Structure formats: structure tokens, C-alpha cells
Amino acid sequence: MTAPLQLLIRGQSPLIINIPHAGTSLPPGYAERLSDAARPLPDTDWHLPFLFHFAVYSGATLMAATHSRYVVDLNRDPGGASHYPGVDLTGLVADTTFSYDDIYRPGCVPDASQIDDRRQRYWEPYHDTLAEQIAAVHGRHGHAVLLDAHSIRAEVPRLFTGRLPDLNLGSCNGRSCDPSLRQAAVVALDADPTYSLSIDGIVKGGYSAHNYGIPEMGLHALHLEIVQAGYLDEANPQDWNPARAEPLQAVLRRLVDALVSWRPMAA
């Protein structure tokens, strides 16, 4: 049986948390095409649905992809545009890992027609569902807040130099949300000095933040990139340790509470 494209738990608040890169499912026949380096799915945003599971009790809508980003990358522009000029990002259907290892065995790299098929089968339906959730929330509240949640290894030389700060908040340089919303998020994330924080630094926001963040229409989007070392052992990322994640979850609770309760100022 083919896995559904997303886990979706609908809430009643203005907040939608989208997790596009935590999936580990592969369609039938895909695993056999992967290289030995790619088969463990090393670029997965490990365990983020568990990290954010508490948010559904705060009224947030939680949506998480089930399929691996090696099937299709849900946070890439389907037309190939890059939101990080000069950075060697992987594409809509990546052929190398973040460590430059080949994802596919020789002769198994998807061609243009196969990439287009993946876009139609996986990327488009996922974003149709996400857009529907945003529209529904906006219709109920007059505004919607999208938190696009991600995690990454502390050091990925392909993408950035040195160690990434623990928490990286992006608002497309202030274009994807109201300034007061970004400030509320900063205050929540900066409350615990244990975790270093960057605002619109190396991480500014990917496709979803740019596409869905239209503050003049009441649509606000933030991108949050979390260093995985802050909640798991990067040497064994498949292992979920709730006790290790608990201190970070306390910070994320403050963030979720701030985003759920935020309201735009009346014109």
C-alpha cells in the first residue's frame, strides 16, 4: 500500500506548522535505485513531528510530509528558481546528498520526464493540500501564520561555513510576515540563552516562506531551521530521545504560544 503524502492534524488556531523534510517513506522500487550512501536518508529532518507534537494541543494545524526529500523536495521552487543565489543547493529532485555523495546508483538517476512525474505525483498534491489549509485558516481568522519547520546537521560545508547557530529564524529579510510577528517569534526563541539564535542570517526562508508569506493579504510565513545537535545525537540521528529533546521543546512551546496568540494590529 502506498503511504499518504502527508500527516495532517487540523487545528482551530491561526497557526499552521508545515514539516516538509521529515518523511522517510519511499515509493515501491525507489530504495533499490539508491546508493549505499543515500539509503539511510542522511539529509532527513529527523523526528520533527515528534518535536512539535505538543503544538496540536495549542490549536495549531500540523502538516508533515511522509515521503523522503529524495523523492521530491517540497521546499524547492518547481521551476528551478533559487532563493539562495550563490549557494549550492540541491534541486527539486536531488542527485547528490548534502555531502556530495551520489544519491542514485549508476544508470538510475531520474531523467527530465521522471522528475516531472514526481512533481505531479508528490509535489503538487502536497502543496495543494497546504494551500487549502492556509486558505481555511485565513477564512476563519482573517489571517494565517505558517511556520515552516526544518532541522539540519550543525555543520554542512556545502551550504554554510562553520557551525550553524542552534536556532535560525527566517522571514525572507522581513518580507514574508508582519514585523510584529517576527519580533514576537524572536522574543520567544531568545528567552533561553542556552540556544544561539540567528535572524535572517544564513537562513532566510525557502520556497514555502517566499510563496505563502504575503503579509499584505494577511498571510504570514516564517522559516525555522533547528540544528539537530540541539535535540538528538547527530551520529545516530534515527534514535529519538524524548528526554534529550525536552529542553528545546520548552523553547518551541514559547514560540508556538506566541504565534498562536499573535494578532495583526487593526488598520
Side-chain angles (χ1 to χ4, degrees):
M1 174 181 281
T2 303
L5 297 183
Q6 68 276 322
L7 163 73
L8 176 60
I9 303 174
R10 294 177 177 87
Q12 296 301 313
S13 83
L15 176 61
I16 300 163
I17 300 173
N18 179 48
I19 303 174
H21 290 154
T24 56
S25 292
L26 295 168
Y30 276 48
E32 292 80 359
R33 301 174 64 183
L34 298 184
S35 68
D36 290 343
R39 203 163 291 129
L41 309 178
D43 300 325
T44 301
D45 292 9
W46 295 103
H47 309 300
L48 283 193
F50 292 110
L51 197 65
F52 280 96
H53 79 279
F54 67 86
V56 300
Y57 301 105
S58 297
T61 292
L62 181 65
M63 181 167 164
T66 57
H67 286 72
S68 169
R69 69 188 302 161
Y70 292 165
V71 177
V72 70
D73 194 321
L74 298 167
N75 199 36
R76 296 292 186 268
D77 189 305
S82 174
H83 298 293
Y84 289 89
V87 178
D88 187 17
L89 289 178
T90 52
L92 184 70
V93 175
D95 56 9
T96 58
T97 70
F98 287 166
S99 299
Y100 288 110
D101 294 313
D102 290 334
I103 290 176
Y104 294 94
R105 296 167 53 208
C108 294
V109 178
D111 60 23
S113 65
Q114 291 170 326
I115 291 173
D116 189 59
D117 181 69
R118 294 188 190 192
R119 177 184 59 78
Q120 294 182 53
R121 286 177 182 268
Y122 303 102
W123 193 98
E124 289 181 0
Y126 186 91
H127 278 277
D128 286 346
T129 300
L130 179 57
E132 289 169 2
Q133 300 311 307
I134 293 172
V137 165
H138 184 271
R140 286 198 302 270
H141 298 280
H143 76 282
V145 177
L146 174 68
L147 178 64
D148 212 53
H150 301 260
S151 72
I152 195 168
R153 297 190 299 275
E155 297 185 14
V156 183
R158 177 175 184 165
L159 303 179
F160 50 84
T161 301
R163 189 192 190 281
L164 197 65
D166 298 312
L167 301 168
N168 300 268
L169 185 70
S171 66
C172 306
N173 285 329
R175 295 190 296 273
S176 64
C177 69
D178 187 284
S180 67
L181 176 65
R182 183 173 76 162
Q183 183 58 27
V186 169
V187 169
L189 292 173
D190 205 27
D192 188 339
T194 304
Y195 300 98
S196 55
L197 173 64
S198 173
I199 304 116
D200 283 308
I202 294 171
V203 176
K204 302 181 187 300
Y207 173 81
S208 292
H210 281 83
N211 186 63
Y212 298 112
I214 313 172
E216 61 271 22
M217 296 181 63
L219 304 173
H220 307 269
L222 289 164
H223 180 118
L224 180 64
E225 194 83 46
I226 302 168
V227 163
Q228 291 175 350
Y231 69 96
L232 55 74
D233 176 6
E234 290 191 2
N236 299 287
Q238 297 92 341
D239 295 338
W240 168 246
N241 185 335
R244 180 162 181 166
E246 188 174 353
L248 178 59
Q249 283 182 309
V251 176
L252 297 178
R253 285 178 188 276
R254 286 194 292 269
L255 173 64
V256 166
D257 288 346
L259 299 184
V260 165
S261 61
W262 179 83
R263 298 292 184 272
M265 293 182 63

